[in-house]
Amino acid sequence: MDPLEIARWQFGITTVYHFMMVPLTLGLGAVVVVLHTMWVRTDDEKWLRMTKFWGKLYLVNFIMGVATGIVQEFQFGMAWSEYSRFVGDVFGAPLAMEGLLAFFVESTFLGLWIFGWRRLPKKLHLATLWLAVIGSWISAFFIIAANSWMQHPVGIEFVDGRPVMNDIWAVLGNNTAWAAYPHTLAGAVAVAGAFLLGISWYQLWRRRADGIDRVAENGHVIVGEAPEIPGRDAADHRVWLRSLRFGAVIAILGFGAVAVTGDIQAKLMYEQQPLKMAAAEAACYSGSDFSILSIGRLGSANCDDVTTIIRVPGLLSFLAKGDFTTVLPGINELVPQYQEQFGTHLPDDPKYGERAGSEIQYVPNLEVTYWGFRIMIGFGAIAALAAAVALWLTRKGTVPRSKGLMRLAVFGILAPFGANAAGWIFTEMGRQPFVVAPNPTGVDGVFMFTAAAVSPGVDGREIVFSLVALGLVYLVLMIVEVMLLARYVRAGVAGVMPERFASHDDEPTDPDAGGGAERDDVLAFAY
Amino acid sequence: MEPLPIVWFVAVALLWTGYLLLEGFDLGVGMHMLVGARSESDRRVMLNAIGPVWDGNEVWLLTAGAATFAAFPLWYASLFSALYIPLVLVLLGLILRAVSIEYRGKIVSRVWTRFWDWSIGLGSAVAAFGIGAGLALTTTGLPIDANGDRVGGPFVWLTPVAVLGGLALVGFCLVHGATFLALKTDGPVRERMRRLVPRLAPVALLPIAGWAILVEVQGGNVFSWILLGLAVVAGVVGWIFARAGREGRAFTGFAVFGALGAGSIFAAVFPVVLPSTIDAAYDLTIWNAASGPYTLGVMTVVTGVALPVVLAYQAWTYWVFRKRIGPAHLPAAHDVTPAIRQAGAAR
């Protein structure tokens, strides 16, 4: 068994899986901060309910991100020891900084927030959530900075065959990182927006299906109450309508920011990794047009197999350079340049294993890059469009009666997740055959072929074992997480604030005001 | 002699020791949930005793790992790739434990809760054993070649020393966790743990003493022997206080024992971070495994600023949650109130 291929699959699977949780954590965390802040400022019951409900879903998801994140750090050393030896001087620093400056903050203060209800003064309690979420956003920066260094190595000199860091500010100020970071955060906000939108839509639809809310002749909604169902009062309606419209707005804003930052990234990529962008566009010959539909042979990295069906003249030049007439180099012109600079064959060195001396395939998998790029943009745009439609449909205070539309809204939660995953697959697969892509204006010699990065001492069977074991556990946990999320979603606010809806008292006690029937020394939150 | 690799050897040793001390009782509590609890109430008390802090404690592992990567990339690369199988098991254990803590109470069902109990207990045990085995091998060596790559099959790490190290950490976590529970809880759990610690400690701490003596005999120096002696004194003092029922002092005693014991082991192996059992010329030392002076300098500044702050706010967390947890403090377990399904039934 070929350790390289299995290790690559493992890294891809574990990373994409981890990145299902991460954008939701980043985006939903920011949402919950806003909700909690609004509650502290206004003392309006609606905001508290929203904080509790979305906060619960946030925590169910957060833990999966934590659990799968440890795997990410460990597998650099486990499966990619040659990579770790080569880049350790530079790459380890942002990882360690993530732990020291961000992840400690995130985890410690989140613990304080979870258990701090009624323990900490209101404002201090709010501050712990702010710190936890800011910690997670800073954490994302250090990880992106580390990844961006692999895409565009800077801040180094070349000593004894290894890059040695000589400028940490260049590493942290890498323009690749500063393009990718806002792009990733905006993507996370879009994920959270679609999440709020879909779930709130379901809840409002449920209220109509249960006959609680009705629509008057003039089209305006008549908010009803159903005292026999926990939580289904008028405030409940406000919770979901506000969540829905807030979600729709941030989904649209998120997509707008994604588009702007994506454009900046694409322009940078044309300078830094021209072959990746050319592959993403299936731009085979110089001066290729932007292609909306190209077809080729499956899995091919060969331009002869590509046929472009629909093209838009001038657009590609505009996207890459900001004008309509620049002739961009195509794959057929770029490959000889790469061959001249980095050789046509891998060196005859034992560290390349059975690949030593074989021809280097400089063009990344065209199918994956071309369609990864289009799925990323397409799914993102669809989600934003859907959010705009949702804003229009809910302008009078509730959702349409249609069950099909409700299903579409819930299913639509997946679209930005798909866009995020496709984006990462595109940017990482597009880097191949390099694990550290050469920087055209950087230090000579600082690049690494993926084939040389895998651990020489590790047996293919070991990686298969870990791939199967992690894969099975990940699969089971994904099912459990989705099942739990679905349970809480169906239960609504009553599911996360049982104390409030336990009885049908006209004046339920407010546990967070510290008074009422609740005993003071009983924890507000406990496992 | 460059000072920075020495500084970073100390820093990495501190981070790993911090991890062992803080997460040590979390892992121990996880194991006690499986064997030391009599009722659902006991298990919930135990879990909530570590509830607010365990996630912050686990970050010490991530930071220790990442700092090893940043400061000694060759050590990190050789060690982690050589220990592929045990580290996969550690990862699985940590993943299951983390998810279990969060998900266990989400559904009120005996089958559900028992499943996650096993997952917490076994996950904690496997993680403690694997990390202990890995750290023990760091001190006694692995068959690594000139490039630092493991020679031999996937199981060459499975030696008596690895088993000793694994048992050492499991034993330490059990004692540390039991003392922590005696200190942090009230009610039946506290009573049981108070009685357990004096009987458990002399047996459970034997493997760690064996490991320390092994390392001392192999390469000890005056300093490391002194640390070991002080560690033994701290352990005995902790045991005496445990017998006397002084939970706070017992906890301090065992914690100091753990810190000094780890310190004596690190001091004895210095400056070797991973010996090669094939040829001493292939040993990884702090000199040939370290990053460049610039990287180490940057990391020194960052750590010098950040670590005291981290310690301060983590200490504050312990202060906020300083009250003992007893069965009376726990809210009634509640299922996710199925509001809408109730509505369906009502109609």
Side-chain angles (χ1 to χ4, degrees):
Chain A
M1 267 173 275
D2 182 1
L4 177 64
E5 284 302 315
I6 309 160
R8 283 186 63 194
W9 274 106
Q10 172 167 314
F11 202 87
I13 290 170
T14 51
T15 307
V16 168
Y17 188 89
H18 179 57
F19 210 75
M20 291 283 139
M21 328 301 165
V22 172
L24 191 57
T25 297
L26 293 172
L28 202 51
V31 166
V32 179
V33 161
V34 171
L35 301 176
H36 194 166
T37 307
M38 289 305 289
W39 178 60
V40 170
R41 286 178 63 117
T42 65
D43 224 11
D44 179 344
E45 155 88 21
K46 167 185 69 194
W47 297 113
L48 175 64
R49 291 195 190 185
M50 286 164 80
T51 307
K52 290 262 182 174
F53 179 79
W54 297 111
K56 179 68 97 179
L57 301 192
Y58 172 67
L59 294 179
V60 168
N61 175 69
F62 179 88
I63 195 62
M64 289 282 286
V66 171
T68 52
I70 316 172
V71 179
Q72 297 306 100
E73 181 190 294
F74 274 38
Q75 63 182 333
F76 290 117
M78 289 164 67
W80 303 96
S81 65
E82 283 297 336
Y83 169 79
S84 301
R85 288 187 185 115
F86 182 68
V87 304
D89 201 280
V90 202
F91 189 82
L95 291 191
M97 288 185 194
E98 191 229 3
L100 281 163
L101 299 176
F103 203 37
F104 266 130
V105 175
E106 183 182 357
S107 298
T108 312
F109 286 97
L110 194 65
L112 277 157
W113 184 69
I114 299 173
F115 282 83
W117 290 95
R118 285 198 286 148
R119 277 278 128 107
L120 295 170
K122 252 186 185 180
K123 284 188 176 163
L124 186 61
H125 184 226
L126 173 63
T128 60
L129 182 65
W130 271 96
L131 284 167
V133 172
I134 290 171
S136 70
W137 282 45
I138 296 177
S139 166
F141 173 74
F142 284 114
I143 298 304
I144 297 272
N147 176 269
S148 297
W149 191 86
M150 300 165 77
Q151 309 281 355
H152 183 234
V154 289
I156 34 159
E157 56 196 328
F158 201 49
V159 181
D160 296 337
R162 284 207 178 93
V164 171
M165 184 158 72
N166 63 7
D167 187 354
I168 182 70
W169 299 112
V171 173
L172 297 179
N174 194 343
N175 56 7
T176 317
W178 283 100
Y181 180 56
H183 191 65
T184 311
L185 286 183
V189 169
V191 163
F195 193 74
L196 258 68
L197 170 61
I199 290 169
S200 309
W201 189 290
Y202 166 77
Q203 289 286 352
L204 284 173
W205 175 84
R206 204 66 244 200
R207 287 177 62 96
R208 290 200 66 178
D210 286 347
I212 301 169
D213 296 339
R214 286 174 299 116
V215 175
E217 302 237 329
N218 64 3
H220 284 279
V221 67
I222 304 166
V223 177
E225 309 229 359
E228 75 283 6
I229 312 174
R232 291 275 132 136
D233 50 17
D236 186 58
H237 176 268
R238 296 211 309 277
V239 162
W240 302 120
L241 187 65
R242 182 55 62 96
S243 297
L244 188 153
R245 296 181 66 84
F246 183 45
V249 168
I250 64 172
I252 294 166
L253 292 179
F255 180 74
V258 162
V260 171
T261 51
D263 182 56
I264 296 169
Q265 256 193 307
K267 287 180 166 63
L268 267 185
M269 228 177 261
Y270 255 110
E271 294 167 19
Q272 297 175 349
Q273 297 181 37
L275 203 42
K276 183 197 279 188
M277 277 315 289
E281 296 298 349
C284 283
Y285 51 90
S286 297
S288 287
D289 291 326
F290 182 83
S291 125
I292 291 178
L293 180 64
S294 291
I295 53 167
R297 210 154 44 78
L298 276 180
S300 171
N302 189 340
C303 261
D304 300 339
D305 296 329
V306 174
T307 316
T308 301
I309 312 289
I310 307 173
R311 61 185 77 200
V312 185
L315 182 57
L316 190 55
S317 156
F318 180 71
L319 290 175
K321 296 286 177 189
D323 66 49
F324 291 95
T325 49
T326 307
V327 175
L328 294 167
I331 291 170
N332 290 336
E333 188 189 329
L334 286 167
V335 168
Q337 291 176 13
Y338 275 76
Q339 286 175 335
E340 195 184 329
Q341 220 175 337
F342 308 109
T344 54
H345 292 77
L346 288 173
D348 212 359
D349 186 315
K351 74 177 174 190
Y352 291 96
E354 53 193 59
R355 283 178 181 74
S358 65
E359 196 183 342
I360 303 169
Q361 185 60 264
Y362 282 106
V363 186
N365 185 316
L366 280 176
E367 212 92 35
V368 171
T369 44
Y370 183 86
W371 287 110
F373 198 60
R374 272 149 193 77
I375 289 171
M376 171 178 78
I377 296 171
F379 277 23
I382 287 170
L385 196 66
V389 172
L391 271 184
W392 172 254
L393 288 176
T394 55
R395 69 194 181 284
K396 286 183 177 162
T398 190
V399 298
R401 229 190 152 114
S402 155
K403 192 169 187 175
L405 266 184
M406 180 274 288
R407 288 200 171 133
L408 210 58
V410 172
F411 195 64
I413 293 173
L414 295 178
F417 280 104
N420 267 292
W424 274 110
I425 291 170
F426 157 67
T427 201
E428 300 298 282
M429 290 280 284
R431 177 163 41 78
Q432 301 303 329
F434 298 101
V435 63
V436 178
N439 175 356
T441 56
V443 180
D444 278 345
V446 178
F447 64 86
M448 187 182 213
F449 288 112
T450 309
V454 79
S455 298
V458 172
D459 197 308
R461 286 168 302 178
E462 285 174 89
I463 312 180
V464 171
F465 162 69
S466 68
L467 179 58
V468 171
L470 286 171
L472 284 177
V473 169
Y474 277 15
L475 184 68
V476 170
L477 291 182
M478 178 68 94
I479 294 168
V480 171
E481 183 191 349
V482 171
M483 188 266 288
L484 273 177
L485 288 176
R487 257 176 104 100
Y488 278 107
V489 165
R490 254 191 250 114
V493 171
V496 299
M497 302 174 80
E499 70 286 350
R500 178 174 297 265
F501 304 106
S503 66
H504 295 302
D505 287 350
D506 288 330
E507 287 179 53
T509 55
D510 182 2
D512 298 296
E518 293 279 325
R519 270 182 54 201
D520 221 21
D521 57 346
V522 174
L523 289 166
F525 177 92
Y527 286 130
Chain B
M1 207 160 63
E2 295 253 8
L4 280 175
I6 301 176
V7 169
W8 270 90
F9 178 78
V10 174
V12 167
L14 280 179
L15 287 168
W16 280 104
T17 308
Y19 173 70
L20 297 180
L21 289 188
L22 290 173
E23 177 108 313
F25 61 75
D26 295 339
L27 294 172
V29 169
M31 290 184 263
H32 285 300
M33 278 183 70
L34 207 53
V35 292
R38 298 271 160 81
S39 66
E40 172 63 11
S41 159
D42 284 1
R43 283 186 285 270
R44 285 190 72 202
V45 167
M46 289 179 172
L47 193 56
N48 282 291
I50 58 167
V53 294
W54 74 270
D55 193 13
N57 292 343
E58 191 174 273
V59 179
W60 284 80
L61 174 67
L62 277 154
T63 306
T68 312
F69 191 176
F72 302 103
L74 302 190
W75 179 18
Y76 167 81
S78 296
L79 182 66
F80 279 51
S81 62
L83 299 179
Y84 198 96
I85 298 279
L87 285 181
V88 172
L89 298 176
V90 166
L91 287 174
L92 292 172
L94 290 175
I95 290 172
L96 285 174
R97 184 192 64 131
V99 174
S100 312
I101 292 176
E102 187 63 37
Y103 288 178
R104 177 184 190 279
K106 294 278 181 283
I107 294 176
V108 179
S109 134
R110 196 167 156 71
V111 177
W112 174 267
T113 330
R114 280 313 276 170
F115 174 79
W116 294 114
D117 284 341
W118 278 93
S119 159
I120 293 176
L122 288 180
S124 301
V126 168
F129 188 90
I131 291 169
L135 289 178
L137 290 167
T138 302
T139 59
T140 57
L142 282 160
I144 54 170
D145 63 17
N147 191 42
D149 296 319
R150 185 192 66 203
V151 178
F155 293 99
V156 290
W157 57 273
L158 192 54
T159 59
V161 174
V163 175
L164 181 69
L167 291 178
L169 198 53
V170 170
F172 176 71
C173 290
L174 282 172
V175 173
H176 200 40
T179 325
F180 179 79
L181 285 172
L183 177 65
K184 277 294 295 174
T185 67
D186 227 342
V189 173
R190 180 184 181 188
E191 292 310 316
R192 207 166 320 119
M193 291 299 151
R194 274 160 78 102
R195 288 197 303 273
L196 177 67
V197 172
R199 283 182 286 134
L200 179 68
V203 186
L205 296 183
L206 274 183
I208 201 170
W211 170 18
I213 290 167
L214 187 76
V215 173
E216 292 297 341
V217 169
Q218 172 192 291
N221 48 48
V222 177
F223 182 56
S224 63
W225 276 107
I226 292 173
L227 284 178
L228 183 60
L230 292 174
V232 172
V233 171
V236 171
V237 169
W239 181 72
I240 292 170
F241 279 123
R243 275 174 63 101
R246 303 294 301 266
E247 291 133 351
R249 292 177 188 205
F251 183 77
T252 313
F254 289 127
V256 172
F257 166 80
L260 292 176
S264 88
I265 291 171
F266 277 111
V269 295
F270 176 89
V272 178
V273 288
L274 181 58
S276 168
T277 53
I278 297 175
D279 186 336
Y282 303 155
D283 284 357
L284 291 179
T285 67
I286 63 165
W287 311 116
N288 64 21
S291 288
Y294 179 82
T295 299
L296 293 179
V298 169
M299 293 303 302
T300 307
V301 172
V302 171
T303 311
V305 173
L307 201 57
V309 181
V310 171
L311 287 170
Y313 61 66
Q314 289 212 333
W316 181 63
T317 308
Y318 284 90
W319 173 253
V320 169
F321 301 109
R322 66 192 175 279
K323 274 167 68 177
R324 287 178 183 272
I325 297 231
H329 300 119
L330 296 177
H334 67 82
D335 216 336
V336 182
T337 314
I340 290 164
R341 256 178 292 149
Q342 280 183 3
R347 264 183 298 140

